[in-house]
DNA sequence: GCACGCCGTGCTAATTTATGGCACGACAAT
DNA sequence: ATTGTCGTGCCATAAATTAGCACGGCGTGC
């Protein structure tokens, strides 16, 4: 049960998204696949309406706008993005750091769905669609702290991958950390996933208390100041609450 | 050169997006395909990270957030969406009708990429990702009127499909209409695509004058008043110009 | 001006791959 | 207890994809 051609087509689609506008040759080098195979795949994706030829260089491929019809369930209908944008902008204006909105996906990872940039010359950078682990990030732990016990145990049961020397990989320590997150209303991550990247996050909740997303203040370690933590934590928690309220209000 | 399995997988993916969260059985009825085929496809899409099981009903499938990594070239990097949102909201507040932002795709169609709703009980509805033809819509003609001659001729060379009794299908008439659009700075569509739906649109231009997108005021025919046309046309054209300027400013 | 190399494209036989009918276990309603 | 429906897994057959090769166009450098 494999469907090799489908798997490969999706990989190629993702590669086009990353490198668009891209040529057949560049993709063959990227994957080490025969030219004909790559080209056949591109033509198929094109006929399905997912790819289009670049306007100026018709031998280069790019992603068509039709993919917008395929929207994640996490954003479906719900006005999560619309409700979050204004509060996120206000939060950015207060702290002048990059703000992310991330949603949980596949039970052990988070995906960035929106971003408001800080104006600092040195900033952290995560693109929309970027993936990060639940246990090693501030956003992920803000989600986990608000997740039902059974789902949480399921995540903690698996081996916790380490990404840096400070990553929490012991389930017991992680549980203690999650207790702290619950008590504070916000989660903190100092260099535990990407070295040099720190974050403070709080969860956006649905009406039933289940976590929908996390608002994240992300900054370089060079600007991370423990003394500001209570203030930043309060601000990010207030923003998350405001988004929860706005989403339910409309 | 067909890649049947890939084509079908993408169709199924799109169907999941439309009906999520959806079960295997519902999809088999939709496509009339054998159960095993559909399920194998779903599992493959899941393993590739594009699908995930619904949290509450694990036999239902939905789109994962990872698809956000695949973004259309038309929105890539460019802050088109960000630049457009505030002006669109202001336009909506002025006219209280639904505002769309659409981008051209595949040389003969438009795709809705953003939407700000009117507050009327009766409103027009086009979802993000919806597709419409270039020649029969206000947005499409706003784009065509700003397109280079060679590309425009290519579109006009094909047979122009008719969607209602008022659709312009004669290339000569369409050319005359496009001249009018150029002169006015906005395009108008009265029931030419979807019966009962009228629209007024203007193009957002890139620095080189090529059309990037169209801002569209969309309303039911019942509220369409020819006397307001000059005012609405002026407003939508101003909004489009403002978006063009904001996009280049940042 | 010529030859070379690179690129995108199309073809075809060989082989891998997907297909879909069928069966099983679980669950819900009758 | 029973019937219908659902999701899932298996396997021989049949059909699909594969990848090597060749062609034509294009730009470069000799």
């Amino acid at each position: 049960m494999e469907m090799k051609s489908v798997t490969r087509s999706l990989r190629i689609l993702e590669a086009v998204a990353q490198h668009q506008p891209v040529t057949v040759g560049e993709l063959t080098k990227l994957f080490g696949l025969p030219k004909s195979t790559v080209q056949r795949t591109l033509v198929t994706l094109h006929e399905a309406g997912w790819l289009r030829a670049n306007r100026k260089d018709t031998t280069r491929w790019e992603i068509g706008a039709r993919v917008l019809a395929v929207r994640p369930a996490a954003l479906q209908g719900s006005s999560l993005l619309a409700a979050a944008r204004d509060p996120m902008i206000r939060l950015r204006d207060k702290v002048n750091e990059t703000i992310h909105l991330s949603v949980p996906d596949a039970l052990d990872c988070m995906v960035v769905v929106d971003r408001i940039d800080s104006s600092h010359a040195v900033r952290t950078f995560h693109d929309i669609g970027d993936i990060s682990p639940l246990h090693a990030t501030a956003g992920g732990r803000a989600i986990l702290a608000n997740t039902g016990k059974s789902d949480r145990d399921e995540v903690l049961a698996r081996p916790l991958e380490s990404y840096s020397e400070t990553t929490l990989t012991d389930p017991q320590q992680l549980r203690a950390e999650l207790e702290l997150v619950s008590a504070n209303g916000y989660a903190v991550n100092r260099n535990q996933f990407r070295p040099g990247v720190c974050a403070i996050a709080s969860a956006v909740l649905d009406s039933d208390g289940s976590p929908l997303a996390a608002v994240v203040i992300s900054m370089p370690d060079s600007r991370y100041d423990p003394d500001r933590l209570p203030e930043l934590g309060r601000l990010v928690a207030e923003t998350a609450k405001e988004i929860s309220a706005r989403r339910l209000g409309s």
Side-chain angles (χ1 to χ4, degrees), chain A:
Chain A
M1 198 183 315
E2 216 169 65
M3 300 243 263
K4 215 168 168 181
S5 63
V6 173
T7 304
R8 200 179 39 224
S9 297
L10 294 174
R11 286 252 175 80
I12 289 180
L13 190 68
E14 291 164 358
V16 172
Q18 280 177 22
H19 299 91
Q20 60 185 319
V22 70
T23 63
V24 178
E26 289 165 6
L27 289 169
T28 61
K29 284 171 195 158
L30 245 155
F31 287 95
L33 291 169
K35 269 187 301 183
S36 21
T37 302
V38 174
Q39 207 229 3
R40 192 157 18 87
T41 305
L42 291 173
V43 171
T44 302
L45 292 172
H46 170 64
E47 284 171 351
W50 286 65
L51 251 43
R52 70 178 193 192
N54 184 278
R55 290 277 156 86
K56 288 151 194 167
D57 181 349
T58 50
T59 70
R60 290 186 172 270
W61 297 94
E62 52 190 32
I63 304 290
R66 210 173 289 208
V67 302
L68 292 174
V70 179
R71 300 246 299 286
L75 308 177
Q76 181 80 339
S78 97
S79 45
L80 177 62
L81 279 180
R85 180 162 276 113
D86 285 350
M88 284 172 69
I89 290 176
R90 282 197 288 273
L91 179 59
R92 191 272 317 267
D93 291 343
K94 281 177 197 155
V95 302
N96 195 22
E97 294 292 353
T98 297
I99 312 298
H100 294 133
L101 188 69
S102 293
V103 300
D105 194 50
L107 272 175
D108 63 346
C109 74
M110 304 277 294
V111 180
V112 176
V113 299
D114 205 1
R115 186 186 46 153
I116 310 287
D117 285 316
S118 107
S119 70
H120 281 116
V122 177
R123 6 175 150 158
T124 60
F125 188 74
H126 298 270
D127 211 343
I128 289 174
D130 277 0
I131 296 167
S132 54
L134 267 186
H135 70 279
T137 60
R141 291 200 289 260
I143 295 290
L144 273 179
N146 291 91
T147 300
K149 191 175 180 307
S150 61
D151 284 344
R152 193 192 317 178
D153 287 346
E154 197 171 336
V155 174
L156 294 178
R158 306 189 200 185
L160 302 171
E161 196 174 343
S162 178
Y163 300 93
S164 81
E165 292 160 9
T166 54
T167 307
L168 287 181
T169 55
D170 176 38
Q172 289 305 334
Q173 288 184 21
L174 189 51
R175 270 179 217 278
E177 175 70 20
L178 292 180
E179 292 297 325
L180 198 63
V181 171
S182 287
N184 288 338
Y186 61 88
V188 181
N189 167 21
R190 188 160 187 189
N191 304 320
Q192 290 177 10
F193 176 45
R194 301 258 169 97
V197 177
C198 303
I200 302 157
S202 187
V204 175
L205 303 179
D206 202 351
S207 54
D208 62 356
S210 61
L212 286 172
V215 187
V216 186
I217 303 177
S218 178
M219 66 183 80
D221 188 59
S222 56
R223 274 202 299 280
Y224 180 84
D225 176 5
D227 295 341
R228 288 185 69 194
L229 203 49
E231 182 205 350
L232 294 177
R234 183 177 54 80
L235 287 172
V236 74
E238 283 172 1
T239 303
K241 279 206 191 88
E242 185 186 353
I243 295 170
S244 305
R246 280 171 61 117
R247 210 188 67 86
L248 299 172
S250 64

